[in-house]
Amino acid sequence: MTDKTEQDRVLIFDTTLRDGEQSPGATMTHAEKLEIAALLDEMGVDIIEAGFPIASEGDFEAVKAIAQQSQNAVICGLARAQLPDIDRCWEAVRHAKRPRIHTFIGTSPLHRAIPNLSQDEMAERIHQTVTHARNLCDNVQWSPMDATRTEHDYLCRVVEIAIKAGATTINIPDTVGYTAPRESADLIRMLKERVPGADDIVFATHCHNDLGMATANALAAVEAGARQIECTINGLGERAGNTALEEVVMALKVRNDIMPFQTGVDTTKIIHISRRVAAVSGFPVQFNKAIVGKNAFAHESGIHQDGMLKNAETFEIMRPSDIGLKETNLVMGKHSGRAALRAKLKDLGYDLADNQLKDVFVRFKALADRKKEVYDDDLIALMRDTASDPDGDRIRVKFLRVICGTEAPQSADLTLTIDGEDHQVTATGDGPVDAAFNAVKKLVPHNARLQLYQVHAVTEGTDAQATVSVRMEEEGRIVTGQSADTDTVVASAKAYVHALNRLLVRREKAGTDGKEVSYKVVS
Ligand code: KIV
Ligand code: ZN
């Protein structure tokens, strides 16, 4: 096996905040994007694709702020092959210590047909736009979108043009998740063999998971010579998502014997960032997801447990601590003190200031009163709920009582505090959650459409907390809300109100376009 210090470095390019956030419904707030970018930077990701600056004022501001706060990572913005896009991208990323412009155009026959460009016209556009980007920034990445369905001769031709125009990284996207591992490797090998100047640049691989092969395709590309993997936390991304960062990084670590490459990622930060991305995007991680799923390290069957007790290596190819999971799920209860809570939260990745701890402690005690044993997952849900209920929220659930029975309709008595004033209402519905939502809607009328309503039990047992995610859409604005409570209906109402608070912020930001800027209260 090659000495680790001599092994080739594979750059990790994280696009959670661009390709991941592009996934319908995964919209993050400005503050959440900054938080995730800081965590990525801290965990040792080499390049952070922070957004698509021309897409909206919000995207521009987020990329700019991430560029300003970045400490180590290269900060990259995406731009179409158009000069105004590239200028706008540069405006945002130029604030970074190490900026990068990433420009792209669809090169496959299907994608060439969209702008109706001939092969020659597109080649000219690539030359012009990459040259322009390189005149602004020393670090330029170029992508032939849908590369895996582009004719090989044409792909070689345009990659050569981009290199000659100054691209320093050439990214090969499998935009529709169509390729297979051998083909992914052959494509990189072919480009490295046929394109003049290929040895002077870095080849990147960008895979989508439509056929469940994104991780395998990315690793195959690396074995063939790619030295940058584009990926997202939890594999977040449009449709079936992108290559999952945690999967490629851990595969390179665990199977370093046959894939002798190094990354700069501190893998012990993986679980915390995975949980944060799941929380802020509203996309929960499937239980059996590789590396970060709730069951990824659970050994339930008798045979497994017996083997694990004798020697953990019997069934475990990596340790929970490798990704930052603590070996013990130390139970907390109503007698646990503030210091124990602080230590436990620190272990879980939450380093709280005294005033924050004070607030969380009150909520922890309330939870411990209702629930005998408070597990790690309960505390994570509580932290998520605390984060989703900042003092800035204009609407809060003060009181909720629902009358249930076998006969519909159910009815809900609700008091909301809106801008500091209490408003009370009663509403009925088809089931307790419907009744509670109707009550909220009576007090805060709106036309937002509920796109998703999801409930998860945090732990086992009938006293388990429920975490609820709600996604709503109004005039193209998509917002998510989350909450946790031992009472599913209360968690639902709070998640709904959380989403509404976010909608109000979005409406206010869009207020200058003459549309409704604030909500109407009916009491
Ligand atoms: O999937 C894709 O082709 C992309 C490009 C913009 C790189 O995300
Ligand atoms: Zn993509």
Side-chain angles (χ1 to χ4, degrees):
M1 191 160 81
T2 344
D3 181 335
K4 285 198 166 67
T5 54
E6 288 166 16
Q7 290 179 0
D8 262 15
R9 179 72 189 276
V10 171
L11 300 171
I12 298 296
F13 176 109
D14 181 277
T15 183
T16 306
L17 298 171
R18 199 278 299 167
D19 219 346
E21 213 246 355
Q22 213 165 294
S23 177
T27 332
M28 300 175 198
T29 64
H30 184 84
E32 288 164 351
K33 287 181 189 174
L34 260 62
E35 181 201 340
I36 299 299
L39 293 175
L40 290 167
D41 203 3
E42 202 183 296
M43 90 188 291
V45 157
D46 299 283
I47 305 112
I48 299 172
E49 188 162 51
F52 193 0
I54 195 98
S56 70
E57 195 55 34
D59 260 56
F60 176 85
E61 288 304 332
V63 177
K64 183 175 164 187
I66 291 168
Q68 282 164 336
Q69 78 168 15
S70 62
Q71 294 300 319
N72 306 306
V74 170
I75 302 300
C76 172
L78 185 68
R80 288 169 302 185
Q82 291 173 13
L83 304 188
D85 268 46
I86 294 170
D87 289 341
R88 190 77 176 140
C89 178
W90 175 239
E91 261 314 295
V93 296
R94 72 184 174 83
H95 303 275
K97 288 188 182 126
R98 301 165 67 206
R100 174 182 291 188
I101 296 174
H102 176 193
T103 179
F104 75 100
I105 194 162
T107 51
S108 66
L110 283 166
H111 281 268
R112 289 201 302 269
I114 300 168
N116 199 15
L117 293 178
S118 69
Q119 289 199 355
D120 288 346
E121 285 165 341
M122 182 166 285
E124 177 47 36
R125 171 85 70 87
I126 293 163
H127 169 75
Q128 185 203 18
T129 48
V130 176
T131 305
H132 184 68
R134 186 57 204 263
N135 285 339
L136 297 170
C137 182
D138 284 348
N139 191 335
V140 172
Q141 171 166 328
W142 181 73
S143 295
M145 187 165 73
D146 207 13
T148 52
R149 293 192 301 170
T150 300
E151 307 90 324
H152 285 186
D153 287 348
Y154 190 57
L155 188 64
C156 288
R157 179 179 165 198
V158 288
V159 166
E160 184 179 346
I161 290 171
I163 295 175
K164 286 205 174 117
T168 44
T169 300
I170 299 289
N171 175 38
I172 302 300
D174 181 30
T175 306
V176 291
Y178 174 73
T179 205
R182 194 177 335 128
E183 198 178 34
S184 172
D186 287 348
L187 198 56
I188 297 290
R189 220 171 273 124
M190 188 245 342
L191 289 166
K192 284 183 79 74
E193 274 164 21
R194 286 182 53 184
V195 177
D199 289 342
D200 306 328
I201 54 98
V202 172
F203 275 103
T205 175
H206 176 111
C207 303
H208 282 266
N209 205 28
D210 299 67
L211 292 173
M213 293 193 278
T215 295
N217 289 339
L219 294 173
V222 167
E223 291 192 275
R227 289 292 175 269
Q228 176 179 302
I229 299 179
E230 308 213 350
C231 45
T232 58
I233 301 291
N234 299 340
L236 192 68
E238 270 186 287
R239 310 184 309 276
N242 290 59
T243 302
L245 180 146
E246 63 278 6
E247 292 178 14
V248 284
V249 167
M250 289 308 290
L252 291 176
K253 185 176 165 106
V254 174
R255 295 313 313 273
N256 193 259
D257 54 332
I258 55 160
M259 292 182 285
F261 304 100
Q262 292 295 307
T263 74
V265 172
D266 173 356
T267 63
T268 65
K269 310 258 189 234
I270 285 178
I271 197 67
H272 179 60
I273 193 163
S274 160
R275 286 168 173 162
R276 290 303 297 143
V277 168
V280 302
S281 66
F283 276 63
V285 176
Q286 86 193 44
F287 280 11
N288 58 341
K289 161 87 180 63
I291 319 292
V292 290
K294 197 172 155 64
N295 292 354
F297 290 92
H299 297 271
E300 291 267 355
S301 83
I303 299 174
H304 280 210
Q305 281 183 351
D306 187 47
M308 287 289 294
L309 289 174
K310 290 184 180 126
N311 178 359
E313 278 177 27
T314 323
F315 288 102
E316 253 180 17
I317 56 166
M318 52 198 157
R319 285 181 307 258
S321 56
D322 292 341
I323 62 156
L325 268 174
K326 302 297 160 204
E327 312 267 349
T328 59
N329 193 358
L330 186 79
V331 182
M332 309 272 294
K334 66 176 174 195
H335 300 298
S336 308
R338 205 177 288 236
L341 180 67
R342 185 199 285 275
K344 184 75 197 170
L345 288 173
K346 192 153 192 256
D347 260 8
L348 294 174
Y350 300 95
D351 212 349
L352 300 189
D354 284 350
N355 57 337
Q356 290 170 308
L357 183 70
K358 210 167 128 198
D359 176 44
V360 173
F361 189 65
V362 172
R363 300 174 73 131
F364 161 71
K365 282 285 177 189
L367 178 64
D369 270 343
R370 279 184 286 160
K371 209 175 172 294
K372 262 203 325 266
E373 292 168 329
V374 178
Y375 295 93
D376 289 1
D377 287 340
D378 286 315
L379 289 175
I380 291 162
L382 184 121
M383 288 306 296
R384 195 189 290 186
D385 197 42
T386 306
S388 72
D389 189 18
D391 290 341
D393 278 1
R394 293 172 63 182
I395 316 171
R396 286 157 169 273
V397 176
K398 183 169 183 189
F399 172 83
L400 176 65
R401 182 171 44 217
V402 180
I403 301 172
C404 291
T406 47
E407 304 279 303
Q410 278 69 30
S411 85
D413 260 342
L414 174 75
T415 306
L416 293 181
T417 307
I418 302 175
D419 287 337
E421 234 180 78
D422 289 350
H423 300 263
Q424 195 272 330
V425 80
T426 301
T428 56
D430 200 359
V433 175
D434 194 45
F437 281 22
N438 287 341
V440 173
K441 203 166 177 187
K442 260 186 159 177
L443 287 177
V444 188
H446 60 82
N447 294 321
R449 204 171 55 84
L450 187 68
Q451 283 191 333
L452 172 105
Y453 167 70
Q454 207 161 243
V455 184
H456 277 290
V458 174
T459 54
E460 287 73 36
T462 48
D463 66 347
Q465 285 196 95
T467 57
V468 177
S469 300
V470 162
R471 188 192 308 146
M472 301 200 304
E473 185 268 340
E474 184 192 71
E475 292 174 14
R477 292 188 278 267
I478 297 176
V479 288
T480 56
Q482 289 97 31
S483 193
D485 200 283
T486 47
D487 186 316
T488 310
V489 187
V490 172
S492 303
K494 283 175 24 187
Y496 189 41
V497 164
H498 179 219
L500 273 179
N501 276 306
R502 287 179 153 188
L503 195 61
L504 296 181
V505 174
R506 295 281 297 273
R507 275 191 206 165
E508 271 159 22
K509 275 199 184 139
T512 41
D513 66 10
K515 301 216 180 81
E516 189 183 5
V517 262
S518 74
Y519 57 91
K520 209 167 78 200
V521 175
V522 177
S523 46

